[in-house]
């Protein structure tokens, strides 16, 4: 019995020591910074090279990325001891302006460690035309970025707003107004940063649910139409939200008095 215990302890010690050994996949670098790249410049790639520093052939089994914008290719055949291989990472910046950081996980027959590679950089957005920025044609020369705004959850007794942008694509100034759907939701309002818009100018529309004086609960939908120079346009706009109870000011004692649901397994 003692001999069996000794052998088991020795095996555990061996396995523990093996698990602490470093990976035999030695990369020359595990991070790469693409720097500043342009969105319209197309995909960029970097090849991470490694050396098999172990005594056995090295096989990459899979390479996993954290985003569909990142595509890996890698050495498929076994890498003999002392020989080199690679993992190449391609990043697609299209529709992804701003800074980025992506992690790539490399799994192989060297199970002692999992190697991680990192790419980073900053994407400069492609300049867009007003027609691309404001795809909704409202009418009367007015364009909008979208027709629906969601404000999420808002506590009863509070106020919350969402915004959308608009643009004057005509050669004349336009005066904006609002016609609310009937029946109008109490506390719902629409305001303009620029109710009179010059040609080529843009503004911000703010859609607000004010529940400080309106006692509403549940799903909220505020519908309205815009008027351009006094004429009602056909495009319908909506703002949505969900009014919920505000329990943030309850004491622990008051919270424990609340209604609870108990379920039993069937």
């Amino acid at each position: 019995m003692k001999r069996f215990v000794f052998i088991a302890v020795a095996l555990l010690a061996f396995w523990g020591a093996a698990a602490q050994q470093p990976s035999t996949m030695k990369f020359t670098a595990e991070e790469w910074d693409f720097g500043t790249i342009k969105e319209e410049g197309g995909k960029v790639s970097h090849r991470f090279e490694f050396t098999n520093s172990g005594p056995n052939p090295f096989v990459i089994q899979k390479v996993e990325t954290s985003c569909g914008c990142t595509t890996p290719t890698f050495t498929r055949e076994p890498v003999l001891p002392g020989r080199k291989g690679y993992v190449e990472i391609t990043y697609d910046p299209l529709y992804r302006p701003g800074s980025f950081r992506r992690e790539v996980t490399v799994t192989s027959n060297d199970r002692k460690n999992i190697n991680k590679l990192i790419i980073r950089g900053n994407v400069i957005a492609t300049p867009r035309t007003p027609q691309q920025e404001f795809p909704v044609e409202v009418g009367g020369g007015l364009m909008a970025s979208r027709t629906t705004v969601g404000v999420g959850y808002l506590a009863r007794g509070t106020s919350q707003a969402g915004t959308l942008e608009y643009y004057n694509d005509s050669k004349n100034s336009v005066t904006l107004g609002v016609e609310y759907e009937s029946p109008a939701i109490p506390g719902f309002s629409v305001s303009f940063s620029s109710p009179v818009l010059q040609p080529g100018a843009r503004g911000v529309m703010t859609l607000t649910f004010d529940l400080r004086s309106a006692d509403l609960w549940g799903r909220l939908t505020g519908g309205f139409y815009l008027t351009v120079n006094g004429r009602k346009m056909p495009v319908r706009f909506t703002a949505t939200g969900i009014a919920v109870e505000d329990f943030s000011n309850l004491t622990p004692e008051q919270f424990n008095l609340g209604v609870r649901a108990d379920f039993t397994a069937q």
Side-chain angles (χ1 to χ4, degrees), residues 133-167:
E133 289 187 77
F134 303 93
V136 179
E137 186 175 349
V138 180
L142 188 68
M143 312 292 289
S145 57
R146 49 186 170 147
T147 60
T148 302
V149 173
V151 303
Y153 291 94
L154 62 158
R156 296 172 70 182
T158 64
S159 176
Q160 198 155 301
T163 61
L164 62 84
E165 293 182 283
Y166 53 93
Y167 171 78

Side-chain angles (χ1 to χ4, degrees), residues 208-230:
T208 304
F209 288 107
D210 189 346
L211 304 186
R212 290 173 294 183
S213 58
D215 187 20
L216 300 176
W217 184 85
R219 183 173 179 82
L220 308 174
T221 301
F224 64 96
Y225 295 84
L226 296 178
T227 63
V228 176
N229 297 328

Side-chain angles (χ1 to χ4, degrees), residues 50 60-63 72-77 85-88 106:
F50 67 87
I60 297 178
Q61 296 174 333
K62 61 180 178 179
V63 179
T73 57
F74 52 90
T75 302
R76 298 284 182 173
E77 63 274 8
Y86 71 90
V87 175
E88 186 169 297
V106 182

Side-chain angles (χ1 to χ4, degrees), residues 103-123:
E103 189 173 278
V104 177
T105 302
V106 182
T107 304
S108 67
N109 62 331
D110 177 13
R111 300 181 182 277
K112 303 179 185 66
N113 281 314
I114 293 178
N115 295 81
K116 293 186 182 295
L117 306 174
I118 295 173
I119 59 170
R120 65 178 77 244
N122 185 61
V123 179

Side-chain angles (χ1 to χ4, degrees), residues 173-184:
S173 64
V174 297
T175 301
L176 305 180
V178 180
E179 284 194 15
Y180 296 97
E181 285 186 336
S182 181

Side-chain angles (χ1 to χ4, degrees), residues 48-95:
F48 294 89
E49 293 189 345
F50 67 87
T51 301
N52 180 2
S53 62
N56 302 310
F58 192 96
V59 180
I60 297 178
Q61 296 174 333
K62 61 180 178 179
V63 179
E64 298 175 288
T65 65
S66 58
C67 173
C69 58
T70 309
T71 305
T73 57
F74 52 90
T75 302
R76 298 284 182 173
E77 63 274 8
V79 179
L80 298 178
R83 303 299 293 271
K84 295 182 180 293
Y86 71 90
V87 175
E88 186 169 297
I89 308 300
T90 299
Y91 182 76
D92 187 355
L94 187 63
Y95 307 124

